[in-house]
Amino acid sequence: MKPKPIYVKAGDTFFTRSNTLLGKLIRWGETDLGETNGTWANHMGVVVEDGWIGDTDPQAVPAIIIEALWKTRKGPLTLAGNLGVRVFRPIPPYSPEELTRFRSKAEEFVGRTYGWWKILFQLADRVLFKGRKVLTTALFLDKRPICSYLAARVNAAAESFERQIARAQLTQDPRAFGMPAQSVDPDEALDYCLANPRLWEEIRVE
């Protein structure tokens, strides 16, 4: 069953959950030891042009997203194999200046090859260091992005200094999603959005 159509805007961040073997393996790797609820998201990306996500009227304008797959791509979100999509918008929404930086940073990643070895380092942190961010803190190369790194870097590049200060006052951490971009995974980013409703608004299906 395809997710219901949802209208999204540039500056939004989306999360997906797939039923593919790879999606299941990624969610397994994201699940912390002792985590009882499991994980929901195994992928994430950013929206750079307003429009619709989901199976809707073919005349409707699709949203344009940028996501890190085998190569980072720009285009409508492909829903094949996805069991669900969740979308979050920063509070307040990005200003025109922030949106310019958001789009510019996202465009830098288009065409770059996926950094599969970064996922291996995330798994190594889970197995060897019980989920502590040890090896992944060194994985900050823009040339080989993974999906969560791309989304975190794009949001961090967009944000004004005032937004970072406001977040630090609420969470004691000024960084997007509360940790280094090279360390965060989709499940942690989603958990951060859900835990901070004063910073992120979930966009619901109308």
Side-chain angles (χ1 to χ4, degrees):
M1 182 177 180
K2 291 184 178 181
K4 293 182 179 180
I6 182 171
Y7 191 82
V8 299
K9 295 182 178 181
D12 291 349
T13 294
F14 70 87
F15 300 85
T16 62
R17 175 185 177 91
S18 72
N19 60 358
T20 64
L21 177 60
L22 179 59
K24 293 176 181 178
L25 287 173
I26 291 174
R27 290 198 299 277
W28 175 84
E30 292 174 333
T31 304
D32 294 330
L33 297 177
E35 187 175 1
T36 57
N37 294 328
T39 62
W40 190 91
N42 56 263
H43 182 64
M44 63 188 297
V46 297
V47 180
V48 293
E49 294 182 24
D50 300 2
W52 288 92
I53 285 176
D55 186 18
T56 186
D57 189 324
Q59 294 184 347
V61 177
I64 301 300
I65 59 95
I66 291 179
E67 59 181 343
L69 298 174
W70 300 100
K71 284 194 174 181
T72 301
R73 63 174 288 272
K74 177 181 179 181
L77 178 62
T78 301
L79 294 178
N82 284 326
L83 298 177
V85 179
R86 302 180 76 169
V87 180
F88 288 79
R89 184 169 299 154
I91 300 174
Y94 286 139
S95 68
E97 293 78 12
E98 288 176 310
L99 273 179
T100 296
R101 293 193 294 268
F102 184 94
R103 289 188 176 105
S104 177
K105 188 62 181 179
E107 291 281 358
E108 289 181 12
F109 288 102
V110 175
R112 293 183 180 177
T113 304
Y114 197 84
W116 289 106
W117 45 276
K118 292 184 178 182
I119 292 182
L120 297 178
F121 274 64
Q122 288 184 340
L123 290 174
D125 271 352
R126 178 182 184 273
V127 174
L128 301 176
F129 301 102
K130 298 182 179 180
R132 289 186 292 117
K133 305 298 184 180
V134 178
L135 301 176
T136 51
T137 56
L139 304 180
F140 51 82
L141 294 176
D142 281 359
K143 292 181 179 180
R144 297 296 296 273
I146 58 177
C147 67
S148 52
Y149 178 81
L150 182 153
R153 287 281 285 148
V154 169
N155 279 284
E159 293 175 342
S160 65
F161 180 71
E162 292 76 14
R163 187 184 294 270
Q164 294 175 12
I165 293 299
R167 179 169 54 236
Q169 291 174 341
L170 287 174
T171 68
Q172 287 71 57
D173 193 322
R175 295 171 296 188
F177 305 117
M179 65 180 68
Q182 63 268 29
S183 299
V184 70
D185 62 43
D187 181 60
E188 290 168 329
L190 176 59
D191 286 347
Y192 184 88
C193 292
L194 291 170
N196 291 281
R198 295 174 66 181
L199 299 174
W200 291 93
E201 172 192 8
E202 184 165 11
I203 308 305
R204 306 282 186 176
V205 176
E206 297 182 358

